[in-house]
Amino acid sequence: MPDLLLELFSEEIPARMQAKAADDLRRMVTDKLVAEGLVYEGAKAFATPRRLALTVHGIPARQPDLKTERRGPKMGAPDAAVQGFLKATGLNSLDEAKIQRDPKGDFYIALIEKPGRDAIDVLAEILPVIIRTFPWPKSMRWGARSGKPGSLSWVRPLHAITATFGPETEEPDVVKFSVDGIETGQTTYGHRFMAPAAINVRRFEDYEAKLKAAKVILDPQARKDIIFADAKELTFAQGFELVEDQVLLDEVSGLVEWPVVMMGSFEQEYLAIPEEVIRATIRNNQKCFVVRDSKTGKLTNKFVLTANIEAADGGKTIVSGNERVIRPRLSDAKFFYETDLKTKLEDRLPKFEQIVFHEKLGTQAARIKRIERLAAEIAPLVGADVAKATRAAHFAKADLLTEVVGEFPEVQGLMGKYYALAQGEDASVAAACEEHYKPQGPTDRVPTDPVSVAVALADKVDTLVGFWAIDEKPTGSKDPYALRRAALGVIRIILEQSGRISLTPIFQDAIALHIVRGGDATFENIVRIVRNPTPDPTFLRKGGPIAADNLASLVGDLLAFFADRLKVQLREQGARHDLVDAVFALGGQDDLLMIVRRVEALGKFLESDDGKNLLAGIKRASNILGIEEKKDKRAFDGAPDAALYGLVEEKALAKAIGEVQAEASAAVAREDFAAAMSAMAKLRPPVDAFFDKVRVNDDDPKVRENRLKLLNEIRSATRAVADFSKIQD
C-alpha cells in the first residue's frame, strides 16, 4: 500500500516546541485519515531545528465506498416534507426509496451510496487545513502576504512543503496543493552551511538517507545519542566525567541538525563559586554541559559544547567564542556571590516588610514569622530541636533577596544553605534553608533531617491554610499556587519519615497564626479559642482572614483535600482509592501513617476469601438497612433486645458481634490492623448463616425491628476498622 512523506521546511523552530509539534503533526494527520476511512498501518514524526517531517505507511490507495441509509417521512406525509427528503438525499422520486415497516407507521428510507475518492485527493484536501490550523504556542506572519486576511501564521517563516504519496514499488506522486503561495513538491534542503543545495526526494527511506548525506540527522533521538556518546567519550579521554543533564540534552539536540561535540575551558579562579552556580551560568547562557573530576568528584574548569557544524579549523574558533561568552558570565556570578557574602542573612530580613506575599495574607515578613512559630510547634513532633527549627525558619527565605538568586532563581534555598554555612550557622539550620522547599515533585527527594522536616512542613501547611482561608483553592486543572504539590509534599514527608503526626492540631495552629496577624492576643490564647468546639466569633473577627463559623469547615475541607491527594499517592503505588475512602469515612482520620497502614491491612484482608465474603455480607446488611430506613423514615439505632431472638442464628450473630467488636477495637487501639482484620473475619460464618436462615422482614413488627437493629450492629462493628459501604465490589 502507498506511503505518505510530508516535510514542512522553515526557519529555526524553537527547541522547546519541536517534540510537541512533531507529535501534533502525527496526531492531526492520522486522525484525519482515519476519519476519512483511510486506516493506515503506522506513522512516525520527526523534528529538527528547520523542519517537521512525517511518514505514514500502509495507507489505502482509495477510500472505501460508503453506503448509508437515511430515514425519511411517513407514507402519506405532506408534499413539502417529501420534497425536502428527495432534495436532501438526491433521489429523483419516491419510487427510488425503500419502505420500512414500523409499529408507528411506514417510513420512506433512502439508500445513499457515496463512492470513495483516491487517497491522494483526500490528502490534498486535508493537509492544507492541518497546516493552516497547526497549534503552535506562538506564531508569526511574514512577507508581502502577511497583511492580507487569512494569511498563513507559522512558528517561523515557512519556505517549502514536500509531500509525496505512492507505493514502494513505483515512483510516488506529489500531493498537489499550495499554502500561501508555497507549492508542494519533492524538494528539500540539507544543512544550512555544510550542504545548503536543494535535494530531490521520493519517499521516506531516500529522504532520510539523502538528508544524512547532506549533514542532517533527522531523528531527534539519534542526535541525542550522538551528543551523549561523544561527550562521554571526550571527557573520559581527558580523565574527566560528564555531568549528565537530560533536560539540557533534550534542548541541545533541538538546536543542531549535525551535532559536533567539543570541549572548552575557563579560569581556575571561578571554581571558588558554588558548583551549582557555575552549572547554572554555563547551562543557562551557553547551553553547555559541565565536567567533573572523576577522582575528586568536584567540577573542573572544563565545559562541553555542541556545535552545528564541522569547522575547517577543527572548532577552535567556535570553542574560543564560547569561552569569551562564558568568562564574563562567570565573572558576574563570582561578583554576585562575593557581594552576597558581605551581607548577613538576618540583615536582609527587614526588606521583607515591604514585600507583599499576597494582598489578603500580608507581607513576606509576616509569613516568615508564622513559619517560625509553626516550625517550633511541629519540631517536637518530628524529633527536631525547637531552637534550631525556629532559627532555620527565620533564615529560610532570606536568600530570595540575594544577587545570585535574583540572577538564577533555580538555586534558591541552595544558596541559603551556602550563605548560612559561610556565616557559621549550624549544619542542620543551613540544610533546612535548602531542603524546606522539598519535595518539589514526585521524583524529588524528601528531607530527612528533623530540622528540615519541621520547617518544610511549616512552610507548606502555612501556604495551604492561608490560601484555603481566602478561598483560593485549586479548581479543575488550575492550581496557580501549587497547592496540590504542597499537599503531596506534606504527605510524602510524613510517610517517608514514618512519623506519627495528626494534621488537625497543626492546621489549627496555622489558623491561629493567621488570626494573630491582625489581632491583639497571644498565640496560645488564640489556639485555645480555635480548638474550642464553639469559638467566640466576636473575638475572631478582630483580625485575620478567618471567621469563627469557617473554622470547622476549613479544617474539614483541608482534610478532604489531603484524602484526595493521598488517594493519588497510594494509587501510584498500586493501592485502591476506595479503600482510602473507606478509612477516611470514619471521620477524624488525620494521622496519615496510620491511614496508610490501615489501608494496606484492609487491602490484604479483602484479597482473602473471608474478606470478600464478609464484604458481600456487610453490603447486603447495609442495603437492606438503607431500604428499610428509607421506607420507615427512621434509623434502627440502639441495642437489639436479646429476649426477641427466636433463632439460633440470631443469637450466634449477636454473640459474635459483641466479641468481634471488642477484639477489633482493642486491636485498632494498639494499631495492630492485621489483628483487627483477623477479628473481622470471625464474623463471616455467623453473618452467612444469618442471611441463609433468617428472614429479616418478619411479620411481627417487633421481631422485624429487632433484626434490623442486629443488622445495624454488623455495620457498627465493622466501622471499628473501616466504612465497608465505601468499598467497591
Side-chain angles (χ1 to χ4, degrees), residues 69 71-75 97-109:
E69 288 187 350
R71 182 167 169 167
K74 285 184 180 180
M75 293 182 65
K98 296 193 306 180
I99 296 175
Q100 184 181 68
R101 306 297 177 185
D102 190 281
K104 296 182 180 179
D106 298 337
F107 290 85
Y108 291 110
I109 298 292

Side-chain angles (χ1 to χ4, degrees), residues 183-250:
E183 300 281 347
T184 55
Q186 295 178 255
T187 302
T188 187
Y189 301 87
H191 192 282
R192 182 187 290 275
F193 304 111
M194 294 190 290
I199 304 170
N200 187 266
V201 296
R202 298 168 63 247
R203 54 178 51 84
F204 179 73
E205 288 74 16
D206 80 303
Y207 166 74
E208 186 176 32
K210 287 180 177 178
L211 280 182
K212 188 172 183 180
K215 306 297 185 182
V216 175
I217 303 294
L218 181 65
D219 189 344
Q221 187 57 51
R223 298 197 300 273
K224 290 180 195 177
D225 293 343
I226 291 169
I227 295 168
F228 184 69
D230 289 356
K232 292 271 284 187
E233 183 178 345
L234 181 61
T235 52
F236 179 77
Q238 298 193 33
F240 301 134
E241 183 180 285
L242 180 73
V243 177
E244 298 179 19
D245 188 332
Q246 186 60 51
V247 174
L248 180 59
L249 181 61
D250 292 342

Side-chain angles (χ1 to χ4, degrees), residues 2 7 124 149 174 180 224 264 273 289 335 386 447 477 494 549 559 575-577 617 620 646 683 692:
E7 184 202 66
V174 173
D180 258 29
K224 290 180 195 177
I273 310 171
F289 299 88
F335 173 77
V386 174
S477 61
I494 292 175
D549 57 2
L559 287 176
R576 289 166 45 180
H577 66 84
R620 185 175 178 184
L683 275 179
D692 188 42

Side-chain angles (χ1 to χ4, degrees), residues 86-357:
L86 294 175
K87 183 177 180 181
T89 57
L91 301 182
N92 295 316
S93 69
L94 290 176
D95 295 336
E96 298 178 6
K98 296 193 306 180
I99 296 175
Q100 184 181 68
R101 306 297 177 185
D102 190 281
K104 296 182 180 179
D106 298 337
F107 290 85
Y108 291 110
I109 298 292
L111 183 62
I112 303 172
E113 297 187 10
K114 182 181 179 182
R117 295 185 295 160
D118 289 338
I120 194 168
D121 294 331
V122 176
L123 288 167
E125 181 180 287
I126 66 175
L127 292 180
V129 176
I130 290 171
I131 293 170
R132 286 191 173 277
T133 59
F134 200 80
W136 292 108
K138 291 184 179 181
S139 57
M140 60 182 292
R141 297 179 182 180
W142 63 92
R145 293 176 176 270
S146 62
K148 296 180 180 179
S151 61
L152 176 65
S153 180
W154 199 249
V155 63
R156 294 291 185 271
L158 186 63
H159 292 315
I161 303 173
T162 297
T164 67
F165 182 74
E168 187 178 347
T169 56
E170 300 176 13
E171 187 70 22
D173 295 316
V174 173
V175 183
K176 294 189 178 296
F177 63 89
S178 67
V179 179
D180 258 29
I182 304 171
E183 300 281 347
T184 55
Q186 295 178 255
T187 302
T188 187
Y189 301 87
H191 192 282
R192 182 187 290 275
F193 304 111
M194 294 190 290
I199 304 170
N200 187 266
V201 296
R202 298 168 63 247
R203 54 178 51 84
F204 179 73
E205 288 74 16
D206 80 303
Y207 166 74
E208 186 176 32
K210 287 180 177 178
L211 280 182
K212 188 172 183 180
K215 306 297 185 182
V216 175
I217 303 294
L218 181 65
D219 189 344
Q221 187 57 51
R223 298 197 300 273
K224 290 180 195 177
D225 293 343
I226 291 169
I227 295 168
F228 184 69
D230 289 356
K232 292 271 284 187
E233 183 178 345
L234 181 61
T235 52
F236 179 77
Q238 298 193 33
F240 301 134
E241 183 180 285
L242 180 73
V243 177
E244 298 179 19
D245 188 332
Q246 186 60 51
V247 174
L248 180 59
L249 181 61
D250 292 342
E251 183 176 7
V252 170
S253 69
L255 298 174
V256 297
E257 290 192 318
W258 189 257
V260 179
V261 175
M262 306 173 188
M263 182 179 286
S265 63
F266 54 87
E267 285 72 16
Q268 285 274 355
E269 64 183 89
Y270 297 124
L271 294 177
I273 310 171
E275 292 187 355
E276 294 82 1
V277 178
I278 295 173
R279 184 176 180 179
T281 302
I282 293 176
R283 184 186 195 275
N284 294 1
N285 291 298
Q286 286 304 103
K287 311 303 178 188
C288 295
F289 299 88
V290 292
V291 177
R292 182 183 291 119
D293 187 320
S294 54
K295 295 178 181 177
T296 65
K298 296 183 178 181
L299 289 190
T300 69
N301 62 327
K302 305 288 184 181
F303 63 90
V304 172
L305 63 98
T306 307
N308 189 35
I309 189 173
E310 292 176 352
D313 63 355
K316 292 180 181 179
T317 303
I318 295 172
V319 170
S320 176
N322 278 267
E323 290 174 343
R324 282 199 303 272
V325 174
I326 283 175
R327 285 190 191 106
R329 297 289 189 179
L330 288 173
S331 179
D332 289 345
K334 185 171 182 288
F335 173 77
F336 293 150
Y337 177 61
E338 291 174 348
T339 300
D340 287 339
L341 288 174
K342 295 175 183 177
T343 304
K344 288 192 172 184
L345 293 175
E346 53 262 44
D347 294 337
R348 299 181 183 277
L349 296 177
K351 291 184 180 179
F352 282 127
E353 296 284 356
Q354 284 76 49
I355 298 175
V356 175
F357 171 66

